[in-house]
Each structure stands twice: as structure tokens, then as C-alpha cells.
Amino acid sequence: MLIAEPIDVPVWVNGLAIGVASLQGAIYASGFRDRKLDLFGVAVIGIATGLGGGFLRDILLNRLPIALTENWYILTALVAALLGMFLARIFRRIDWLITVLDALALGLFGALGTTAALVSGLPFVPALFVGVITAVGGGFIRDLLLNMPISVMHVGSLYAIAATAGSIVLLGFNEANIGLEISVPVSVAVTTVLRLLAVRFGWSLPEQRMLKSLRNPKLVRPTDLTGPVDVQRDL
């Protein structure tokens, strides 16, 4: 297996991914009027959404979180979170743009996480795991802070699957000795396009099923046995 060499990621790439994720997290949190979140609360959720995936990545790779090595990481997340909170009504009117940028950030985080895992010497499957965790980790932490069902674990548009597809493409290119200058952009494009297509056409994985019995192996849904469960379906 080819071990990827470290690459210099442009500052604007990290800034864009963190900023969009923090913006989206703050917009999402500001919609919960019944929670009576104050300015600090919304800002914290926005920052956690933007930086959470990177923190989880660095914890898994047993290294100092990169967000703590420079001033601009946290400042970028803070500014984006405040913009998302104060201008939430305006941004909701152009939600299509936020959806596009969110899909792009998903692809960027996934590619950055997978590349970091390869640079650390991880094999294919662990590197894939780290890449996906990096991509969806911010939303995971956001939902925990809001005491909401973890959206990435419920039926909805292909969020984690899109990140997984992009990371697999990057890892496959790496196995074929194709450089990161090609594999990273292709990985980001695959994740972004798949996510946008899933949102546009409502693609999702089927709800969990279980066998009714061994003698009569009919698949049934849990809700057929317990009744419907109201959950947050998607972002």
C-alpha cells in the first residue's frame, strides 16, 4: 500500500469547511426557540459543528487537535457561527446555497480526514473510518449538545454514505498509486455530487428490518411492532 505523503492544504480549504459547518450548525440551533438558547449557547453549538469532526479525527490519530495550533481555526468557527445566528432568516431564504456548501464541506472534511489517516500510516479500513468520522463528527456532536436524535443514524438523505463513497474513492486511488493532487479533488467531487443528488431525489437507505420468524422469514419494520417513532430525519 502506498503511504500518502503530507500535503500542504491551502488555508482557504480548511477555512471554507470549518466556516460552512459552523454556519450551518448555528442556523440549525437557532431554529430551536423552545430551547431558549442564549448567544453563547448557539455560538458553542456552531463552533462544535465546525471543529468537532477535526477534533475527533485528531483524537483517533492520537495527536494534538490542529484547531488548537493556530488562532484562526476557532476564530473562523466563531465568526461563522455568529453570522449564522444573526442572519439565520436571510440564510434560510437561500437554503439551496447552504445545502451546496454543506455538501462541499462534507467532501472536504472527508478527504482531509482520510488523507490525515493515510499520512499517519493507517491501513485502508481504519483510514476509511477516520475519514467518515471526520466528515460527520461535527453534526454528531451538534445533535448531542442539542439533546436530539443523531441525524446521521436515522433514515434520510445519504449523508454518511456520501462521505464513505468519497473516502473509498480516495483510498482506491491511493492503492493505485495515483497522487493526492488528483485523488483529493475527485474524492471531494464524488461526495459533494452524491450528497446533492440524494437531497434532490430523496435517496436514502431503507429503514432497518428484522426477520418475523425463521420458519416464515418475512421482513418487518420495528415500527410495525412498536408503532411510529418521531425522529429528526435529516439536516
Side-chain angles (χ1 to χ4, degrees), residues 18-19 22-23 43 46-48 50-51 72-82:
I18 292 172
S22 297
L23 184 77
I47 292 172
L51 300 179
W72 70 267
Y73 286 100
I74 297 176
L75 290 176
T76 298
L78 175 61
V79 171
L82 292 176

Side-chain angles (χ1 to χ4, degrees), residues 105-167:
L106 181 71
L108 290 171
F109 276 128
L112 292 173
T114 305
T115 301
L118 288 174
V119 169
S120 297
L122 270 61
F124 190 104
V125 174
L128 174 62
F129 177 76
V130 171
V132 175
I133 289 296
T134 305
V136 305
F140 190 96
I141 294 176
R142 177 205 62 201
D143 293 338
L144 286 178
L145 291 175
L146 287 171
N147 194 28
M148 295 289 295
I150 308 301
S151 58
V152 73
M153 298 172 62
H154 292 91
V155 177
S157 297
L158 306 179
Y159 201 73
I161 297 300
T164 301
S167 293

Side-chain angles (χ1 to χ4, degrees), residues 53-189:
F55 266 86
L56 292 177
R57 173 201 62 208
D58 295 332
I59 290 173
L60 290 172
L61 296 178
N62 193 29
R63 68 186 191 185
L64 176 68
I66 292 179
L68 301 182
T69 62
E70 298 282 350
N71 292 322
W72 70 267
Y73 286 100
I74 297 176
L75 290 176
T76 298
L78 175 61
V79 171
L82 292 176
L83 285 175
M85 176 176 54
F86 289 123
L87 304 178
R89 291 184 178 180
I90 295 177
F91 283 119
R92 288 194 181 103
R93 294 175 184 174
I94 52 173
D95 58 342
W96 63 270
L97 177 60
I98 298 300
T99 299
V100 172
L101 292 177
D102 183 57
L104 178 60
L106 181 71
L108 290 171
F109 276 128
L112 292 173
T114 305
T115 301
L118 288 174
V119 169
S120 297
L122 270 61
F124 190 104
V125 174
L128 174 62
F129 177 76
V130 171
V132 175
I133 289 296
T134 305
V136 305
F140 190 96
I141 294 176
R142 177 205 62 201
D143 293 338
L144 286 178
L145 291 175
L146 287 171
N147 194 28
M148 295 289 295
I150 308 301
S151 58
V152 73
M153 298 172 62
H154 292 91
V155 177
S157 297
L158 306 179
Y159 201 73
I161 297 300
T164 301
S167 293
I168 288 176
V169 167
L170 193 154
L171 291 166
F173 277 29
N174 183 71
E175 292 282 354
N177 293 340
I178 298 176
L180 292 174
E181 66 279 359
I182 296 176
S183 60
V184 169
V186 173
S187 171
V188 173

